[in-house]
Amino acid sequence: EKDARIIIGHFQEEDALEIFCQRTVIITSQLREPIREHLQSTKAYQHGMYGIGYAWIVPGFLSPTFWNNAVNVQHINCTAQEIAIAANYSLSINFATINTADGGTISGMTPHSFNTRYNSWPTIVNRTYGANDYAGFTYDALWAEAIALNNSISRLAKFNRSLHDFHYDDSQMAEIFKQEMYRVNFSGISNLIEFDKFGDVHPHTTYLVQHQGDVKREVATMIAKDNLIDFYKTAPNIIEWPAIIFMVYNNRNRNKRVIKMSSPNLNNLILIGCIVLYLSIITGGAISVTTSSVLCMLAPWLTTIGFATVFGSMFAKTYRAYKILTSNKRISPIHDHHLYAIVALLVMAETVILTTWTIVDPMLPTYKPLPRE
């Protein structure tokens, strides 16, 4: 209905330069001949195969600015900027290389403590070897093998055999090992380790990543087993600019009659509260089951403190106007520092409540591995 084209490609960076510049190579035998011939000669940038009507899904290993290599490839007749335009907003899927639930694993280490220990290893520290993002996979593979072999011992004993009897032509022992590997189920450093009927471990968490200018940004978290896709709510930073602009305007014109009568200092407090509320939206967008417990409580802290600052400032201004307009006799001046005390009182009250909440019963992300059905 939207007349959109979804183009899925798997190619190396040099091929990506040619595809985004010169032509698409996604040609299927099911396409009618005229369409196939059109695709063979289509140039992605020069024929406008990008933008709203096209969704490119590309490999996740493409570097954020792979188009800069166009100058090193002779047969590419597009500039780096043209390829960047064509590749902008393309999507890719990455998977987490470490368990996103930072709880205990079968080894007793958390994924975080494993990373700390791994990166502190002498050969990594002195750069004899570079750190590898897939170290957790190797570690979990050894655990899976050890568990399967250990569970095979009792089964082999029924045949008066042991692991020492292993040889590569032993089909009976191979079948027992295979069956025990399928029964493996534990929380590892990289993932929840359990094998499907094809012998694969499905990543618990994957990320939808988008090329946005010169960077690649995660725009959603996907958890296939829970049928969940969590799009980040993080909005462009343009929302906070009006508050900053108003703050600059308020301070530059604070001596003008209208601005001066509106209490410019309290205006600044209101704008600061608005910025804090905006930050709570960003924090809320970052919260998912894959994030730390800190973000779970940070969002209500920012929302509550931001609201208390905005509401407290407006209430203080209204209170001063009320006292001036309703008093039948001369009253002592109500200065800004008196109004600051009102705002501070409200913020302190909210802080006490939030601190108690955080200590006694904080919000925490939960992760519960379920047994295989």
Side-chain angles (χ1 to χ4, degrees):
E1 295 178 356
K2 301 296 183 181
D3 196 32
R5 273 71 170 173
I6 300 175
I7 305 172
I8 303 174
H10 187 79
F11 34 72
Q12 299 298 320
E13 288 199 354
E14 184 172 339
D15 298 321
L17 297 173
E18 184 174 356
I19 289 167
F20 279 111
C21 172
Q22 297 185 21
R23 59 178 179 171
T24 61
V25 295
I26 304 160
I27 303 167
T28 67
S29 58
Q30 297 177 350
L31 292 177
R32 296 193 304 272
E33 190 64 27
I35 298 178
R36 187 184 305 119
E37 292 176 358
H38 172 69
L39 285 176
Q40 286 176 329
S41 60
T42 296
K43 298 182 178 181
Y45 172 77
Q46 297 175 0
H47 287 260
M49 292 183 66
Y50 60 91
I52 296 177
Y54 294 87
W56 286 83
I57 301 178
V58 300
F61 53 74
L62 295 182
S63 61
T65 56
F66 70 89
W67 47 78
N68 288 335
N69 297 324
V71 295
N72 302 322
V73 182
Q74 295 181 353
H75 60 277
I76 301 299
N77 58 2
C78 291
T79 65
Q81 183 179 8
E82 290 171 339
I83 298 175
I85 292 173
N88 201 26
Y89 302 119
S90 59
L91 300 170
S92 60
I93 295 176
N94 291 345
F95 57 87
T97 57
I98 194 165
N99 200 332
T100 52
D102 197 30
T105 64
I106 193 170
S107 65
M109 291 187 292
T110 65
H112 177 73
S113 63
F114 171 84
N115 258 352
T116 302
R117 184 178 177 186
Y118 173 69
N119 289 307
S120 300
W121 201 255
T123 54
I124 301 296
V125 174
N126 62 25
R127 298 186 179 180
T128 302
Y129 301 105
N132 193 313
D133 291 337
Y134 298 95
F137 288 85
T138 304
Y139 187 78
D140 289 339
L142 292 174
W143 265 100
E145 292 172 10
I147 291 171
L149 291 174
N150 191 60
N151 292 340
S152 300
I153 294 175
S154 59
R155 295 185 60 184
L156 292 172
K158 295 177 181 179
F159 300 99
N160 294 321
R161 307 186 64 188
S162 70
L163 295 177
H164 296 290
D165 300 324
F166 171 77
H167 58 84
Y168 287 100
D169 296 327
D170 192 332
S171 59
Q172 182 189 46
M173 193 173 289
E175 183 62 26
I176 292 175
F177 291 163
K178 180 180 177 182
Q179 291 173 4
E180 291 302 328
M181 285 296 285
Y182 277 122
R183 292 190 177 97
V184 166
N185 188 328
F186 65 89
S187 181
I189 297 299
S190 64
N191 200 0
L192 177 63
I193 306 300
E194 59 178 344
F195 299 95
D196 64 14
K197 62 181 180 180
F198 301 107
D200 294 326
V201 175
H202 295 283
H204 179 265
T205 304
T206 53
Y207 303 107
L208 185 64
V209 180
Q210 186 178 52
H211 272 281
Q212 296 181 6
D214 291 343
V215 297
K216 296 171 71 173
R217 298 187 190 280
E218 293 177 4
V219 295
T221 299
M222 296 175 287
I223 302 178
K225 290 185 178 181
D226 297 336
N227 224 10
L228 171 68
I229 180 167
D230 180 15
F231 282 95
Y232 300 160
K233 300 174 185 177
T234 304
N237 290 334
I238 57 172
I239 298 179
E240 67 182 53
W241 282 110
I244 297 175
I245 292 171
F246 289 144
M247 190 176 294
V248 172
Y249 178 85
N250 179 68
N251 286 291
R252 283 189 175 182
N253 299 279
R254 62 186 303 117
N255 293 321
K256 291 186 177 180
R257 184 172 181 271
V258 175
I259 302 295
K260 191 172 184 178
M261 291 179 64
S262 70
S263 304
N265 291 329
L266 284 225
N267 291 342
N268 286 336
L269 271 184
I270 292 174
L271 292 170
I272 290 172
C274 290
I275 293 174
V276 173
L277 284 171
Y278 171 70
L279 292 176
S280 72
I281 297 174
I282 296 178
T283 306
I287 292 176
S288 70
V289 294
T290 64
T291 55
S292 68
S293 58
V294 175
L295 286 179
C296 283
M297 285 305 300
L298 184 59
W301 267 86
L302 292 175
T303 302
T304 306
I305 297 300
F307 177 79
T309 304
V310 173
F311 176 80
S313 301
M314 295 179 66
F315 175 80
K317 290 172 65 173
T318 305
Y319 169 76
R320 178 160 61 182
Y322 169 79
K323 293 293 289 183
I324 294 174
L325 295 176
T326 60
S327 178
N328 294 324
K329 57 182 180 179
R330 185 178 181 86
I331 61 173
S332 57
I334 303 175
H335 298 291
D336 282 350
H337 65 268
H338 296 123
L339 305 183
Y340 290 154
I342 296 175
V343 179
L345 186 63
L346 289 173
V347 172
M348 287 176 62
E350 296 288 4
T351 301
V352 171
I353 296 172
L354 287 167
T355 302
T356 305
W357 180 14
T358 304
I359 295 173
V360 176
D361 188 23
M363 293 192 298
L364 297 171
T366 58
Y367 175 75
K368 184 179 179 181
L370 298 177
R372 179 181 297 183
E373 296 181 356

